[in-house]
């Protein structure tokens, strides 16, 4: 799933390439994509796109006093095409046909339809359930005191940091990078972090996410909306390779839908965390 840096670079590029462009027509071919029906998507016709921004891992396309909130979920992507899609294109979830001939399309791959959109009065975006329940944005990292309050609970850091209600924008990829940068175990309880560890976590969140965004700004041309920006991951899914900092072989814990990668020398005091895939097989 795209996370804060990926959605942010999409929002920036979509904003600079779309602001001021008029919508000719808008439709959602499927029945499950739109979570709202009033105002109807068709009311976007002849409105101007006034901006595109990001909230957590969601995109907001603004049309004056209306806003389309889009959650990409796992397989959704917002793409800008020079030509219009055939309506038989099964991956198209929302199509915004633009007066200049281009098309902004929410596409989703795979058989599951999970990506969704909600067309709302602009002032209601902040009140939408998926927005109102968010924790503070992860970039810039919340102040150290606020982060300490968020983190010092009984939960493991790996799940806590990915919980959008605690802190918004971090997912399965960047959490591994952040914890590695902070030299903290993914299974450490938040309540056990001392002030020095909180400070390291704070610095790691900022450095890691800003670093990714800076990288995208450097490599993604201004007129391009990348399908998938090249994620500069050093640790996540690099199990079996040497740790870029200390050379120890990176280890991983496999879950059914994702992998958690860490450096045992620097993050877990040399302990190997239980491989849940293996322990499930042995049951
Ligand atoms: Zn290491």
């Amino acid at each position: 799933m795209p996370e804060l840096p990926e959605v942010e670079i999409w929002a920036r590029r979509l904003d600079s390439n779309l602001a001021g462009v008029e919508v000719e027509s808008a439709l959602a071919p499927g029945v499950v994509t739109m979570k709202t029906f009033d105002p109807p998507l068709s009311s976007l016709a002849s409105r101007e796109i006034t901006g595109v921004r990001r909230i957590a891992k969601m995109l907001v396309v603004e049309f004056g006093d209306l806003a389309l909130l889009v959650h990409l979920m796992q397989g959704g992507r917002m793409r800008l095409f020079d030509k219009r899609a055939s309506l038989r294109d099964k991956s198209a979830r929302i199509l915004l046909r633009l007066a200049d001939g281009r098309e902004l399309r929410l596409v989703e791959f795979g058989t599951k339809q999970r990506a969704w959109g909600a067309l709302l009065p602009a002032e209601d975006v902040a009140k939408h359930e998926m927005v109102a329940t968010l924790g503070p944005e992860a970039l810039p990292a919340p102040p150290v005191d606020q982060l300490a309050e968020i983190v010092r609970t009984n939960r493991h850091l790996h799940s806590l940091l990915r919980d959008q209600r605690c802190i918004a924008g971090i997912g399965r990829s960047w959490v591994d990078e952040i914890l590695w940068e902070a030299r903290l175990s993914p299974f450490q309880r938040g309540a056990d972090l001392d002030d020095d560890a909180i400070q390291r976590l704070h610095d790691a969140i900022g450095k890691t996410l800003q670093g990714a965004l800076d990288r995208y700004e450097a490599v993604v041309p201004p007129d391009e909306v990348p399908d998938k920006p090249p994620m500069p991951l050093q640790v996540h899914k690099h199990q079996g390779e040497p740790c870029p900092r200390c050379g120890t072989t990176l280890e991983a814990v496999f879950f059914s839908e994702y992998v958690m990668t860490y450096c045992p020398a620097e993050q877990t005091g040399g302990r190997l965390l239980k491989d849940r895939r293996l322990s499930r097989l042995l049951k």
Side-chain angles (χ1 to χ4, degrees), residues 69-113:
L69 178 67
V70 175
H71 201 309
L72 304 164
M73 301 302 288
Q74 198 70 32
R77 300 290 180 266
M78 198 65 130
R79 290 182 172 171
L80 186 57
F81 292 88
D82 288 334
K83 289 189 184 135
R84 290 165 179 191
S86 155
L87 285 179
R88 287 194 301 269
D89 181 347
K90 291 276 184 278
S91 68
R93 301 279 182 262
I94 299 176
L95 304 102
L96 294 185
R97 300 188 152 172
L98 307 176
D100 62 13
R102 291 182 296 170
E103 186 170 83
L104 178 62
R105 215 178 296 161
L106 171 64
V107 298
E108 186 175 35
F109 298 101
T111 50
K112 290 172 185 151
Q113 295 202 18

Side-chain angles (χ1 to χ4, degrees), residues 180 183 242-250 262-267:
W180 174 79
R183 296 175 167 85
C243 167
R245 206 161 42 208
C246 74
T248 304
T249 301
L250 296 172
Y262 64 98
C263 170
E266 296 182 293
Q267 289 177 257

Side-chain angles (χ1 to χ4, degrees), residues 148-161 166 186-193:
E149 254 178 60
I150 293 167
V151 165
R152 283 184 173 141
T153 68
N154 268 326
R155 298 175 63 186
H156 296 147
L157 291 177
H158 195 271
S159 82
L160 188 153
L161 292 173
C166 295
F187 284 138
Q188 181 151 9
R189 272 187 343 138
D192 295 337
L193 261 58

Side-chain angles (χ1 to χ4, degrees), residues 204-234:
I205 291 170
K207 181 182 171 186
T208 303
L209 298 178
Q210 188 63 53
L213 194 48
D214 289 348
R215 175 84 187 133
Y216 296 152
E217 280 291 2
V219 301
V220 177
D223 58 350
E224 206 174 281
V225 181
D227 271 4
K228 193 174 193 292
M231 293 173 81
L233 299 168
Q234 301 189 76

